[in-house]
């Protein structure tokens, strides 16, 4: 605010215009100063050495201090789940107080807000429509909020918002500052996501190399299959992961590798859900149920009743169907094509391990049969000369009578 006092009444219209221009310049200077301060503060972080959490926490702290509010939050997408969760919190609240908060991106208020181009100011959260759950707002006691979507390439990837417990007079300066901080947070989240992808790809390649090494060095298929199920469980945060092999009669599945289950199990093929076996066992295609609760008939036939997502893939050998690989999760699994490529590669390696073990067993049995045949033949060959020698000695001794000239 610019206040000028005059000691007499007169027309100051020209001066007022000049004062308005000066006030506008002053406001612009304030905005630039605040923006520069925000950029320099975050710019002071060693991005290469700082973690995603440290960068986002610094941005949240800046938002709270520069906007002079008690609470600032940054929301980001939870991996493989279509919801937003708090990834940074600054102010009077503790992180554990809001860890359970989720914003479902498919909900209309959230979806509508994420397509905004400018900050949204809600003066009274108790009365106005907002993307936050009203019960949560009432419980915490927030009164006003200023929020901005975080976008990269036009696509929303999160939200930054600040809250007060009282009335708040928001100005263009506040909104401009929040835009700057939103751009910083969006860049940090994008870089973190790229880093996560690189780590995931590196981990996947490492796992594939380890399993390939086991295939070359181990003749124990169970060891390889256990490594595959453990790798899948770790990479995709699975609750269960199993590999079941068909027995010789092809009437039952023996689950030789299992994660998330109490012990090995055997299931008769006729007891499996008919649709599941038609897709996987007959058509040799994968079956993925993103939300298994939509298939209540299947839920009751699973070992774990608390699964949310469930997938079954065929183990196909070069000449025969070997069995199935299953994956289960108590949360909703979101798998893209690159994920399925990796899962398929591991499934193929499992099939190779099984066939290698079968070939080794066949070779071992054939070699054992050959060894047994050689032992019998050797015994017979050793016994034949002795029999001939003894017979000739008996004949020459005349024990069987006189020998004629022939």
């Amino acid at each position: 605010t610019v206040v000028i006092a005059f000691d007499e009444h007169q027309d100051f219209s020209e001066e007022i215009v000049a004062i308005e221009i000066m006030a506008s310049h002053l406001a612009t200077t304030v905005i630039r100063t605040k923006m520069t301060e925000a950029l320099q503060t975050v710019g002071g972080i060693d991005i290469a050495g700082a973690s995603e959490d440290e960068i986002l926490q610094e941005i949240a702290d800046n938002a709270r201090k520069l906007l002079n509010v008690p609470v600032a939050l940054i929301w980001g997408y939870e991996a493989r789940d279509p919801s937003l969760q708090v990834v940074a919190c600054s102010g009077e609240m503790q992180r554990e107080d809001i860890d359970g908060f989720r914003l479902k991106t498919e909900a209309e208020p959230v979806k509508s807000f994420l397509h905004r181009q400018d900050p949204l100011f809600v003066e009274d959260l108790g009365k106005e429509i907002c993307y936050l759950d009203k019960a949560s707002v009432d419980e915490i006691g927030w009164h006003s909020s200023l929020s901005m979507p975080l976008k990269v390439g036009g696509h929303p990837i999160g939200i930054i918002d600040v809250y007060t417990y009282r009335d708040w007079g928001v100005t263009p300066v506040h909104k401009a500052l929040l835009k700057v901080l939103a751009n910083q947070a969006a860049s940090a989240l994008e870089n973190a996501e790229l880093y996560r992808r690189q780590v995931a790809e590196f981990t996947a390649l490492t796992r594939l190399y380890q399993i390939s090494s086991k295939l070359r060095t181990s003749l124990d298929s169970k060891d390889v299959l256990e490594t595959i199920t453990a790798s899948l469980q770790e990479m995709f945060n699975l609750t269960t992961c199993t590999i079941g092999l068909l027995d010789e009669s092809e009437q039952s599945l023996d689950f030789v590798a299992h994660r998330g289950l109490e012990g090995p199990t055997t299931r008769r093929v006729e007891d499996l859900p008919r649709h599941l076996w038609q897709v996987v066992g007959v058509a040799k295609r994968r079956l993925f149920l993103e939300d298994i609760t939509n298939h209540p008939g299947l839920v009751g036939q699973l070992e774990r009743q608390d699964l949310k997502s469930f997938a079954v893939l065929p183990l196909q050998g070069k000449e025969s169907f070997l069995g199935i690989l299953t994956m289960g999760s108590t949360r909703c699994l979101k798998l893209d094509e690159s994920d399925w490529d990796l899962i398929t590669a591991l499934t193929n390696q499992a099939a190779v391990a099984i066939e290698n073990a079968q070939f080794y067993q066949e070779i071992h049995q054939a070699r054992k049969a050959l060894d047994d045949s050689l032992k019998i033949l050797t015994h017979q060959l050793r016994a034949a000369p002795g029999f001939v020698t003894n017979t000739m000695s008996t004949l020459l001794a005349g024990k069987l009578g006189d020998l004629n000239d022939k």
Side-chain angles (χ1 to χ4, degrees):
T1 303
V2 179
V3 179
I4 300 178
F6 300 96
D7 57 0
E8 57 184 20
H9 294 284
Q10 54 180 309
D11 183 9
F12 288 105
S13 56
E14 293 183 1
E15 287 80 356
I16 288 174
V17 171
I19 291 170
E20 287 178 345
I21 294 173
M22 183 174 61
S24 176
H25 282 301
L26 181 60
T28 302
T29 302
V30 171
I31 292 174
R32 285 177 178 172
T33 303
K34 291 286 188 181
M35 287 183 176
T36 302
E37 182 182 348
L39 288 168
Q40 288 176 342
T41 305
V42 179
I45 300 176
D46 179 11
I47 299 296
S51 67
E52 170 196 358
D53 290 341
E54 290 172 335
I55 296 171
L56 293 176
Q57 188 59 51
E58 181 74 17
I59 295 172
D61 290 339
N62 285 342
R64 180 179 58 82
K65 294 173 184 176
L66 296 174
L67 296 173
N68 193 26
V69 292
V71 179
L73 304 178
I74 296 178
W75 305 73
Y77 278 102
E78 183 178 2
R80 307 181 189 284
D81 193 358
S83 66
L84 291 165
Q85 66 171 350
V86 176
V87 293
C89 172
S90 177
E92 300 174 2
M93 296 191 66
Q94 298 296 318
R95 178 67 178 268
E96 53 266 24
D97 295 334
I98 51 178
D99 268 348
F101 278 24
R102 292 288 188 277
L103 296 178
K104 292 297 182 183
T105 54
E106 296 304 316
E108 188 53 42
V110 180
K111 186 188 297 185
S112 176
F113 170 76
L114 289 174
H115 286 87
R116 289 182 62 90
Q117 302 297 324
D118 299 303
L120 171 67
F121 174 58
V122 179
E123 187 173 358
D124 189 343
L125 290 167
K127 296 179 181 179
E128 299 182 51
I129 297 176
C130 179
Y131 57 82
L132 288 175
D133 176 62
K134 189 176 185 302
S136 301
V137 172
D138 292 341
E139 180 182 349
I140 296 172
W142 290 331
H143 182 74
S144 299
S145 70
L146 181 63
S147 310
M148 180 71 190
L150 309 179
K151 295 187 178 182
V152 174
H155 300 290
I157 63 169
I159 298 173
I160 182 171
D161 45 18
V162 295
Y163 299 92
T164 66
Y165 296 98
R166 53 178 173 74
D167 290 337
W168 185 23
V170 170
T171 67
V173 174
H174 294 121
K175 294 182 178 182
L177 277 172
L178 194 65
K179 267 193 171 184
V180 172
L181 294 166
N183 291 334
Q184 291 177 338
S187 297
L189 286 171
E190 182 187 27
N191 290 339
E193 177 61 24
L194 290 173
Y195 176 72
R196 272 197 297 265
R197 289 179 186 174
Q198 290 177 343
V199 171
E201 289 175 1
F202 177 76
T203 302
L205 290 172
T206 302
R207 293 294 185 186
L208 286 171
Y209 173 76
Q210 291 173 344
I211 294 169
S212 296
S213 298
K214 278 188 175 293
L215 284 174
R216 292 193 300 269
T217 58
S218 176
L219 295 174
D220 183 4
S221 65
K222 192 175 188 306
D223 183 28
V224 179
L225 298 182
E226 286 286 359
T227 302
I228 291 174
T229 53
S231 299
L232 285 170
Q233 185 180 40
E234 180 182 346
M235 286 188 287
F236 296 100
N237 194 22
L238 301 175
T239 307
T240 66
C241 187
T242 67
I243 292 179
L245 304 182
L246 274 176
D247 63 2
E248 292 183 359
S249 66
E250 298 186 354
Q251 299 300 311
S252 64
L253 287 165
D254 181 19
F255 288 88
V256 296
H258 46 85
R259 292 274 170 165
L261 298 177
E262 292 184 358
T265 58
T266 300
R267 295 288 299 271
R268 292 189 304 174
V269 172
E270 63 182 22
D271 294 336
L272 297 175
R274 184 176 180 182
H275 175 64
L276 183 152
W277 192 249
Q278 285 293 324
V279 173
V280 182
V282 179
K284 309 297 187 295
R285 293 186 290 108
R286 74 170 182 241
L287 175 67
F288 178 48
L289 304 176
E290 186 175 323
D291 187 354
I292 200 173
T293 56
N294 295 329
H295 306 268
L298 179 60
V299 176
Q301 299 185 55
L302 298 178
E303 292 291 324
R304 292 280 297 258
Q305 305 292 309
D306 56 344
L307 297 180
K308 176 75 172 177
S309 294
F310 190 67
V312 187
L313 293 90
L315 292 175
Q316 181 63 46
K318 291 181 179 179
E319 298 179 355
S320 62
F321 178 68
L322 304 173
I324 62 174
L325 181 146
T326 74
M327 303 188 305
S329 176
T330 52
R331 58 188 181 82
C332 186
L333 281 177
K334 293 292 182 180
L335 302 173
D336 56 27
E337 284 306 312
S338 62
D339 293 329
W340 284 116
D341 288 342
L342 174 59
I343 294 169
T344 301
L346 291 172
T347 303
N348 291 339
Q349 288 191 326
V352 170
I354 296 164
E355 287 193 319
N356 285 350
Q358 290 177 345
F359 292 152
Y360 172 73
Q361 188 175 10
E362 290 174 4
I363 293 171
H364 179 71
Q365 290 175 348
R367 183 171 180 176
K368 186 176 182 302
L370 179 60
D371 288 344
D372 291 343
S373 299
L374 287 173
K375 286 179 182 178
I376 294 171
L377 181 59
T378 301
H379 176 73
Q380 290 175 343
L381 289 173
R382 286 177 179 174
F387 173 77
V388 172
T389 302
N390 291 334
T391 303
M392 290 180 66
S393 298
T394 302
L395 289 171
L396 291 172
K399 294 180 179 180
L400 297 179
D402 295 333
L403 295 176
N404 56 28
D405 293 338
K406 294 183 179 180

